[in-house]
Amino acid sequence: MAAFQLLFPLLVSCVAANARPPRQLPACQVVQMDVFCSNLSLRSAPVNLPRGVQMLDLSRNQVQNLTQETLAFHTDFHHLNLHSNKIHYIQPGLFKDMTDLKVLDLSRNHLNVFAHSKINIGPLTAVESLDLSGNGLYTGMSDYFLADSPSLANLSLRSNSITKIAQNTFSGSMFLKKISLHNNVILEIEDGAFDSLNHLTELDLSKNSITCITDFNLCNLKVLNLSKNSLEFFQSTGSTDLYGLQFLDLSENKMHYFPLLPKNNVLRHLDVSRNQLQSLNVTGSLDRRTTMILYYLRYLDMSYNQLQTIPESFFNCMGSLEVLNVSNNCINSFSITNPELLKTVKTINLSYNSLQSLTFGKNTLPSLEELFLQGNDLTILDHQIFQRLPSIKHLHLQENDLEICDASQNHKNPPECVSFSSIPNLQFLYLSENSLQTLPSNAFVNTPLKLLDLSLNPGLDMHKDSLSGLESSLAHLILRENNISSLNIDLSSLRSLKHIDLSTNQLTTLPMWNQESSIESLNLQNNNLVTLEPSTMLALEHSLKTLYMGSNPLSCCSNLGFLHMIQNSALVIPDIETVTCILEDYSEPVNIEKVTEEMCQRPSIQNYVIPVVLIVLLVLIVLGLLIKCCQSRKRKPSRSFSA
Ligand SMILES: *[C@@H]1O[C@H](CO)[C@@H](O)[C@H](O)[C@H]1NC(C)=O
Ligand SMILES: *[C@@H]1O[C@H](CO)[C@@H](O)[C@H](O)[C@H]1NC(C)=O
Ligand SMILES: *[C@@H]1O[C@H](CO)[C@@H](O)[C@H](O)[C@H]1NC(C)=O
Ligand SMILES: *[C@@H]1O[C@H](CO)[C@@H](O)[C@H](O)[C@H]1NC(C)=O
Ligand SMILES: *[C@@H]1O[C@H](CO)[C@@H](O)[C@H](O)[C@H]1NC(C)=O
Ligand SMILES: *[C@@H]1O[C@H](CO)[C@@H](O)[C@H](O)[C@H]1NC(C)=O
Ligand SMILES: *[C@@H]1O[C@H](CO)[C@@H](O)[C@H](O)[C@H]1NC(C)=O
Ligand SMILES: *[C@@H]1O[C@H](CO)[C@@H](O)[C@H](O)[C@H]1NC(C)=O
């Protein structure tokens, strides 16, 4: 059975092959001098390729032997794509006469089989870009392809099985600019393996098994990727030569110490995230606290380590830093008091640490726009701490334990509160999950908030004037999961409000809105709404675009206006599947889309009157007849007796 299943497609493909008229390009596409024959089950190039073809795409076919014949004896190629074939043999010297061939893609083939035969493919005279990725090549096998490749600039050896880079690995390709060795099993790099490559600017060694780099000395390199190795340390030589390194990725390694970087450097981007840094002590340096001189550094990622403190002095020589990520460490105190430090920083990510103390001096961090502090233990902060950050725009304070001050009574405030009023550029404020008890009046006056997230503070008591001052700025308000049973703030005064999330509360009535409302999306999921005030729904109708209304005990027949809105307006109700209502007491909820107005037309009193009157009349007539009948019967016998 299995054999038959295999045979059948083979037979079909043979028949198909025979039926094809000869001397015709089999479904290849020809665009000027470029021929595309990808994924056509071909074993070789079509015999009648146009003369002078420059680009041939034979990827995803069945080529096994790569010879002059397979390429139809053409030699004018500029670009040959043989990706994903089954090539296990290359005719030696095949590329010698292809003096225009610049790009050769041999990725995803079986070139390890060819390398076993220990034959050289011969000169790659003009090839500038060579892709040998995914060929099962072991250490030393690349030699048979690279021995004579004088023009090679770009080489990919990704996803092979190379364990060692020998000193002479690249000696036949001295003009290499870019090498990728991503996803091999490199354990060892022999001294000097890259030293003679004076043009090398990008080296990707990510996803290997390198354990240490000592005496890093590649001065011309601009990008070095050592992510996902087992590096315990990275150490440069003590040389004072200028190093050109700009991007250094050391993420996902096992470093305990900060890397020893070249003294004279132009490093812009340094990633040491997901290591085991416990301090900022520098590896291998005699005085382990040597300050790093990183004048050009813009991006520093030290997230997912075990840092407990970052001394202010660490930033002494980082005059250009823009992004600092130290999230997911164990930092319990962070302080910047020197106004000369971190003047250019725009983003600081301190989320998910154990911060209890946070201090900013006057006029520090003048460029800071985004500060991420979620997931810490912040309880007591200086009242005016955020007013000291002149450019702050986004403030993420979720999952802390803060209290908010009342701007109108500065002296009567509890000592542990934080003020959010008069922060001139703050637009996005996240305060969810802070166990907030109260939101005092005037909490945000003179702060131009656009978004305010107060969700997940169950029991939050909002003063009726708590949002005053936000009338013309606030566009997005999130009050999800606050256990609110009635809102005592007047949302209709927030003239710019467009999005409001009131889901998972205990609301029994809708907040009031009038015709001036500009609400575009409203989330009322999971509340206790039975009847939706028709005048409010009417007021919302002209601006509302999206409404969430699932999981409410709605009554079907007292919300006919809403029913009409669902059926007749362009309103989108993404959770319509879960919007149910109750037709009669004690009956099962029905999906609101299935309800029709007729279902709600109960027989009215008028309808009862006529039958009742008719019945009464009928009874009266019958009674009358009966009485008459009885009377005449009484008379009849009396008459007969008298006879
Ligand atoms: C290759 O062709 C087959 C059928 O002709 C098709 O099912 C498959 O999706 C194609 N593969 C690619 C990568 O285009
Ligand atoms: C490929 O070449 C080898 C050696 O020249 C030869 O033995 C083999 O038959 C060829 N295979 C195909 C499919 O042409
Ligand atoms: C280098 O080769 C890789 C893989 O073939 C390719 O993705 C990349 O675009 C090439 N880069 C340059 C600069 O030629
Ligand atoms: C380094 O390599 C990793 C894994 O391939 C990749 O995710 C990362 O973006 C690279 N880093 C740089 C700076 O290119
Ligand atoms: C860092 O260096 C200081 C001073 O040399 C030393 O006291 C401290 O123990 C070091 N910390 C770690 C984690 O090695
Ligand atoms: C660190 O934070 C920066 C900026 O906030 C971000 O771009 C980067 O992806 C973060 N790093 C990790 C490992 O998530
Ligand atoms: C902060 O850093 C964490 C990881 O360290 C990352 O997941 C998060 O996206 C960063 N925040 C921002 C806004 O970049
Ligand atoms: C929610 O409010 C009700 C009273 O309205 C109260 O009984 C309940 O405990 C509150 N739940 C929470 C989680 O605060």
Side-chain angles (χ1 to χ4, degrees), residues 613-628:
V613 168
L614 282 177
I615 289 168
V616 169
L617 266 178
L618 204 73
V619 169
L620 283 178
I621 290 169
V622 170
L623 268 177
L625 283 176
L626 274 176
I627 290 167
K628 235 184 179 170

Side-chain angles (χ1 to χ4, degrees), residues 273-274 301-304 323-329 347-352 370 372 374 396:
S273 64
R274 298 181 198 269
D301 193 343
M302 302 196 292
S303 61
Y304 297 96
V323 177
L324 171 66
N325 191 347
V326 283
S327 86
N328 292 279
N329 278 278
T347 303
I348 297 182
N349 189 343
L350 272 159
S351 59
Y352 302 100
E370 297 182 297
F372 298 89
Q374 68 266 39
H396 292 251

Side-chain angles (χ1 to χ4, degrees), residues 479-483 502-506 524-527:
L479 291 169
R480 188 167 53 90
E481 290 188 57
N482 278 349
N483 203 20
L502 286 162
S503 60
T504 314
N505 280 296
Q506 315 278 344
L524 292 166
Q525 240 177 22
N526 203 10
N527 274 286

Side-chain angles (χ1 to χ4, degrees), residues 571-592:
L571 182 66
V572 177
I573 306 179
D575 63 347
I576 189 81
E577 296 294 314
T578 59
V579 185
T580 55
C581 62
I582 296 165
L583 259 174
E584 286 162 51
D585 291 347
Y586 313 115
S587 67
E588 285 293 305
V590 287
N591 188 278
I592 196 144

Side-chain angles (χ1 to χ4, degrees), residues 164-171 179 188-197 200 217-218:
K164 180 171 121 178
I165 307 296
Q167 207 180 12
N168 62 354
T169 302
F170 303 108
S171 56
I179 302 175
E188 191 189 345
I189 300 176
E190 277 186 1
D191 268 357
F194 299 102
D195 285 8
S196 52
L197 301 176
L200 190 65
N217 65 345
L218 302 177

